[in-house]
Amino acid sequence: AVMDRGRIVQHGSPLEVYQKPESAYVADFVGEANLIPGRLLEIRAAGAVVETIFGAVQGCLAKGFLPSARDEVLVSIRPQHVQVGGDGDGRNFTGKGRLTDSAYLGSVTRLSVQVGGRVIRADITGMPEVQVGEEVVLGWRAEDSRVLAADARFTTESLGINP
């Protein structure tokens, strides 16, 4: 169980809580997550479409979350699900950014990619084929991202969203 401010906000197996967070707090607290602010454009059978500073991205709605069009939301994507490089095959969202940092952490290399004023973290195996300062393609599959309710702790100007 995960508690926030004295209440249980999600319970389940560790794998379920990690892979399917139901709130921005859980996504951030259990492991690491890129939390990308946006506005809901529409809900489709395959998931939600959210307008972000990266353009329109798709993701799975968190359990029990039913936002309305134009509601502020957060898209959560774990660093290990962000793919960097290649041509984008198999990704529902791709964009371009500039590699700003690369840190070898042993089992993975943590990349920081700046896109539209936001930094997205990506964990890759091995060493990157590009150098800091170069442009890269990044993206992820819709089923690896979650669309969560906006949370004032994560939708501030520091996350790049205008109130």
Side-chain angles (χ1 to χ4, degrees), residues 52-116:
T52 70
I53 61 171
F54 306 113
V57 298
Q58 293 180 342
C60 301
L61 283 171
K63 180 180 174 183
F65 179 49
L66 296 172
S68 299
R70 305 301 301 156
D71 281 355
E72 290 183 6
V73 296
L74 289 166
V75 177
S76 172
I77 181 75
R78 301 275 184 201
Q80 71 268 22
H81 292 140
V82 178
Q83 302 168 17
V84 176
D87 59 10
D89 281 348
R91 303 176 209 173
N92 299 97
F93 163 75
T94 58
K96 291 184 179 180
R98 187 152 316 276
L99 183 63
T100 59
D101 190 42
S102 174
Y104 179 69
L105 303 176
S107 60
V108 297
T109 300
R110 166 69 49 89
L111 304 179
S112 296
V113 179
Q114 187 168 13
V115 182

Side-chain angles (χ1 to χ4, degrees), residues 7-72:
R7 350 180 325 250
I8 294 175
V9 291
Q10 187 172 348
H11 59 85
S13 71
L15 183 64
E16 179 184 355
V17 171
Y18 180 80
Q19 290 186 342
K20 296 180 179 179
E22 295 175 8
S23 71
Y25 177 81
V26 172
D28 184 64
F29 183 75
V30 180
E32 294 185 49
N34 293 294
L35 295 170
I36 304 162
R39 293 196 188 278
L40 181 73
L41 292 177
E42 64 179 312
I43 297 175
R44 298 178 180 164
V49 180
V50 177
E51 182 63 36
T52 70
I53 61 171
F54 306 113
V57 298
Q58 293 180 342
C60 301
L61 283 171
K63 180 180 174 183
F65 179 49
L66 296 172
S68 299
R70 305 301 301 156
D71 281 355
E72 290 183 6

Side-chain angles (χ1 to χ4, degrees), residues 81-163:
H81 292 140
V82 178
Q83 302 168 17
V84 176
D87 59 10
D89 281 348
R91 303 176 209 173
N92 299 97
F93 163 75
T94 58
K96 291 184 179 180
R98 187 152 316 276
L99 183 63
T100 59
D101 190 42
S102 174
Y104 179 69
L105 303 176
S107 60
V108 297
T109 300
R110 166 69 49 89
L111 304 179
S112 296
V113 179
Q114 187 168 13
V115 182
R118 295 270 308 142
V119 174
I120 298 295
R121 296 167 307 199
D123 290 343
I124 64 167
T125 56
M127 298 301 289
E129 296 177 10
V130 296
Q131 301 297 315
V132 170
E134 292 183 2
E135 188 174 81
V136 296
V137 174
L138 77 155
W140 56 83
R141 300 177 313 162
E143 62 261 28
D144 291 329
S145 62
R146 309 282 292 165
V147 177
L148 309 169
D151 183 320
R153 296 172 290 183
F154 302 98
T155 55
T156 64
E157 290 175 359
S158 66
L159 289 179
I161 193 168
N162 295 324

